[in-house]
Amino acid sequence: MPPSPMQFKTKEEQVADYLREGIIAGRFPRGTRLKQQEIASLLQTSITPVREALKLLEAEGYVSGDSFKGAVVAPFDIEASTEVLNLRILLETQLVRGAVEQAGGADIAELRVLAEAFATAFDAGDNEAARAANYRFHHRMFEIARMPQTLHFVQILWARYPFDLINQLKGRVSRAVAEHDELLAAMIAGDVSAAMLATRQHIEAGWLELRDSVQAAESRA
């Protein structure tokens, strides 16, 4: 059995993955101060990989540095979200194409488990766990594509996207569960076009629901 991707990652990369997931899942809300010693203790590692991981996340836009406060989870720029949306569609559909072409039976089985974890967390009412599982599902799928540079740019885009607001929309997580099922079905069938379309629709659905929600709130104000 080939080693998992995590076995090839440095401690710095593993800490960075943990923090990215936590930020996107809302475990570390925007504006939260990330304390190096607390993170190191939580992950049972030394300060050094935590410090290096935070530098990486600052470069990607997930955190901002402050000489007094340290690393703080960065806010997102709502004005830039439409541009980020279009870039996500462009890059993530290519990653899904690669994933369909590269995926083996073990990869599909792993994605099924991650999709089920997302649905189970939602059914249990654990929104934070659901958002974390959603991150792991997409991240693992994109790793399968073996396009690390494209995935790197996508992770930068994720730092600038309002996942926390989208995932708070009523019924959004439930609809995302169905969208994941559709994407997985296309992957299992080896249907590249259907998988790319499902990815585009999945990304657009969340954004359009957020846009409609914001517009409705503005009209009531």
Side-chain angles (χ1 to χ4, degrees):
M1 179 177 178
S4 71
M6 284 299 292
Q7 290 175 282
F8 295 113
K9 293 184 177 179
T10 64
K11 286 185 178 180
E12 169 193 332
E13 291 168 334
Q14 292 179 43
V15 173
D17 278 345
Y18 171 81
L19 292 174
R20 283 192 203 96
E21 176 186 313
I23 291 168
I24 289 175
R27 189 180 308 127
F28 305 114
R30 297 178 190 277
T32 299
R33 180 186 175 192
L34 299 177
K35 299 178 181 178
Q36 294 182 20
Q37 187 57 62
E38 289 183 1
I39 295 169
S41 297
L42 180 64
L43 300 180
Q44 298 182 332
T45 188
S46 66
I47 285 287
T48 300
V50 175
R51 183 184 301 119
E52 294 306 309
L54 289 172
K55 289 179 181 178
L56 175 60
L57 293 187
E58 183 175 4
E60 292 178 350
Y62 284 87
V63 304
S64 57
D66 186 292
S67 57
F68 296 102
K69 293 184 178 180
V72 175
V73 179
F76 67 86
D77 180 3
I78 190 67
E79 298 300 324
S81 292
T82 302
E83 181 181 3
V84 173
L85 168 77
N86 292 329
L87 288 169
R88 282 192 62 206
I89 291 171
L90 177 66
L91 297 181
E92 292 183 39
T93 52
Q94 293 307 307
L95 284 169
V96 166
R97 171 193 287 275
V100 173
E101 294 171 347
Q102 296 286 346
D107 296 317
I108 295 296
E110 185 178 0
L111 290 174
R112 282 184 182 275
V113 170
L114 292 172
E116 288 170 5
F118 175 57
T120 299
F122 165 69
D123 289 340
D126 191 338
N127 291 330
E128 182 183 304
R131 291 193 292 267
N134 181 58
Y135 170 86
R136 290 193 294 272
F137 172 79
H138 286 286
H139 190 269
R140 180 67 192 113
M141 179 179 291
F142 295 160
E143 282 184 325
I144 292 168
R146 299 179 187 174
M147 299 167 63
Q149 296 304 315
T150 305
L151 176 54
H152 171 69
F153 285 115
V154 165
Q155 288 178 160
I156 292 173
L157 295 175
W158 283 349
R160 293 159 172 77
Y161 206 68
F163 288 104
D164 47 350
L165 297 182
I166 290 173
N167 290 327
Q168 291 172 17
L169 297 172
K170 184 177 180 180
R172 177 60 206 147
V173 175
S174 176
R175 289 185 287 275
V177 169
E179 291 162 12
H180 284 180
D181 289 343
E182 183 177 354
L183 175 53
L184 265 180
M187 286 195 69
I188 292 168
D191 190 332
V192 170
S193 296
M196 293 176 70
L197 178 59
T199 300
R200 181 188 186 97
Q201 291 174 335
H202 180 51
I203 296 170
E204 288 179 332
W207 169 248
L208 292 174
E209 289 181 33
L210 177 62
R211 186 198 64 184
D212 292 346
S213 176
V214 169
Q215 290 177 347
E218 289 175 346
S219 66
R220 292 193 297 268

